[in-house]
Every structure is written in C-alpha cells, then in structure tokens.
C-alpha cells in the first residue's frame, strides 16, 4: 500500500509541474489530428509489483508475502469511440516473482519458503475516459477487465507441496483501474500511467492432503498488483 501512495504522491507533484510547462500559454499543437483517427496502435513497457490477498479459514498469522519488481511489455490497439472515450486492447507479457514465507511452520528454511515465479500472458480490455485536450496535454482514467494465462502455474503438476511444489491455476480474471497522462510530442504520443490490477477468481490449487499445512487454511488466494506503464503511439 505504501508503494501505491508513493506513486500517487509522485503524480500529484508531476501533474502541476506539467501544467506549468504545457498549459501556461498557447503552444503549437503537436499532431493535432492524432485523436481523430478511428484506429491507432502502439506498444508499452513498464514495471509491476504483485502481492497476494488471502482469505483464511482460521484467522491467525500464517503467510508473509515477499514482493519484488517485475516487468511488463505488450502491444496496444485503440478504437476511438468519441472525443472522450476509447476502447483499448493491450495484450502483453508480464513477469513477476513472489516468495511465500509460512510463519507457522517449524523446520528448515526450504520447508517454510515457497518461491513463485510467474509469467503471464495478460490481455486487458479497457475503457479510457479522457478530458478535453489542453495544448499538448490530456489526463485520463482507465478501467476494465482482463484475463491472464499463467505459463508457470504448475496446475497440472502431480507434485504438490509435499514435494516442494506450490501450484496455482492457469486462468485468472481481473478488474483494473488506473489513471495517466497523454503527452503529445512532435513525432508520437507518450502516455505514462499507473494501474491497479485485482484478481476476481481464486488462484489456489489445494494440495492432495486436505490437512496440508501449506493450503488447508487458505479459503481464497487472489493476486493484486500495481503497474507503471509507459505507452508509445
């Protein structure tokens, strides 16, 4: 959560400074007909940070999630609806690593630690709500649904935590919300944005043993993350 607050503080500082640079006086419009195109295309890259949200059957200190930064890269297909609305498809590849530490388990370090390195094919379908363009500057908010396929899930692996293998489901659905800024540069449009990603479906594959210390106390396990993307069109 403190990371999200830090990003928000950065944008709160960033937007007024952009306003001073881009809105203080009339400026030459860069590619003033860019947003009138019915279709536009681009690509993006960025960083991400994933966590898990656990619902436990019994409320007790159980699992600590060690987060790390990952990367995301993909393509953009944008369909103009009107001056303020766009429909966007953003298929991409997302990589992230998380470590789970089981605080209730006594024993060796490798008994209490599970390393989850995930590679997702991630496909968001989003609606973008923009303000009116102001010189070469236009804020927006974005939201929608997404689907991901976890290439590293091990859902069908016959080994479970009894053999040191934590398993997750292949398919996950999410909702996404975020905001950003379109900056119209002389040769392209550059759009930094921040987005929250929240799983709607349970991702846990329980161990075969119904009393497993690794999965028996988990009712629901869902990913949540934050993306910082840089889009070029």
């Amino acid at each position: 959560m403190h990371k999200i607050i830090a990003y928000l503080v950065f944008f709160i500082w960033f937007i007024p400074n952009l306003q001073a640079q881009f809105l203080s006086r009339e400026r030459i419009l860069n590619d003033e007909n860019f947003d009138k195109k019915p279709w536009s295309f681009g690509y993006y890259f960025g960083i991400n940070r994933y966590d898990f949200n656990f619902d436990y059957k019994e409320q007790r200190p159980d699992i600590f999630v060690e987060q790390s930064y990952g990367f995301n890269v993909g393509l953009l297909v944008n369909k103009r609806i009107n001056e303020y609305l766009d429909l966007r498809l953003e298929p991409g590849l997302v990589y992230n690593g998380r470590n789970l530490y089981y605080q209730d388990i006594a024993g060796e370090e490798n008994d209490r630690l599970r390393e989850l390195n995930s590679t997702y094919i991630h496909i968001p379908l989003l609606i973008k709500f923009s303000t009116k363009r102001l010189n070469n500057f236009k804020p927006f908010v974005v939201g929608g649904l997404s689907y991901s396929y976890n290439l590293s899930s091990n859902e069908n692996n016959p080994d479970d935590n009894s053999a040191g293998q934590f398993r997750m489901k292949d398919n996950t659905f999410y909702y996404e919300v975020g905001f950003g800024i379109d900056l119209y540069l002389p040769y392209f449009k550059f759009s930094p944005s921040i987005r929250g990603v929240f799983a709607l479906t349970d991702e846990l594959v329980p161990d075969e043993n119904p009393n497993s210390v690794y999965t028996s106390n988990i009712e629901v396990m869902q990913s949540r993350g934050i993306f910082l993307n840089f889009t070029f069109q």
Side-chain angles (χ1 to χ4, degrees), residues 28-60:
I28 297 175
L29 292 182
N30 294 322
D31 201 350
E32 58 185 304
N33 295 317
F34 185 96
D35 290 334
K36 297 179 182 179
K37 302 172 185 176
W39 294 89
S40 59
F41 306 91
Y43 65 92
Y44 64 88
F45 65 85
I47 59 175
N48 64 71
R49 191 172 175 90
Y50 270 87
D51 193 2
F52 280 117
N53 179 57
F54 292 100
D55 288 340
Y56 296 111
K57 297 176 182 176
E58 297 180 14
Q59 293 301 320
R60 65 177 189 265

Side-chain angles (χ1 to χ4, degrees), residues 83-95:
E83 184 178 359
Y84 303 105
L85 291 177
D86 295 89
L87 182 65
R88 317 190 83 171
L89 183 66
E90 299 183 358
L93 191 69
V94 176
Y95 174 81

Side-chain angles (χ1 to χ4, degrees), residues 96-107:
N96 184 270
R98 287 163 283 185
N99 291 333
L100 303 184
Y101 286 96
Y102 284 80
Q103 302 176 69
D104 288 353
I105 297 177

Side-chain angles (χ1 to χ4, degrees), residues 1 49-54 65-67 96 98 203 222-226:
M1 179 58 68
R49 191 172 175 90
Y50 270 87
D51 193 2
F52 280 117
N53 179 57
F54 292 100
V65 182
E66 181 183 55
Q67 305 172 49
N96 184 270
R98 287 163 283 185
E203 298 174 72
Q222 296 173 310
S223 289
R224 56 188 180 184
I226 184 166

Side-chain angles (χ1 to χ4, degrees), residues 77-133:
V77 180
N78 189 92
K79 175 66 175 75
R80 182 181 186 270
I81 299 175
N82 59 38
E83 184 178 359
Y84 303 105
L85 291 177
D86 295 89
L87 182 65
R88 317 190 83 171
L89 183 66
E90 299 183 358
L93 191 69
V94 176
Y95 174 81
N96 184 270
R98 287 163 283 185
N99 291 333
L100 303 184
Y101 286 96
Y102 284 80
Q103 302 176 69
D104 288 353
I105 297 177
E108 300 294 330
E109 179 74 7
N110 58 359
D111 292 328
R112 293 185 284 117
L113 172 65
R114 289 294 180 264
E115 297 181 357
L116 304 181
N117 295 313
S118 301
T119 302
Y120 298 99
I121 298 174
H122 190 67
I123 307 175
L125 182 62
L126 308 168
I127 293 288
K128 177 185 176 185
F129 303 86
S130 302
T131 68
K132 187 176 180 64
R133 177 173 172 173

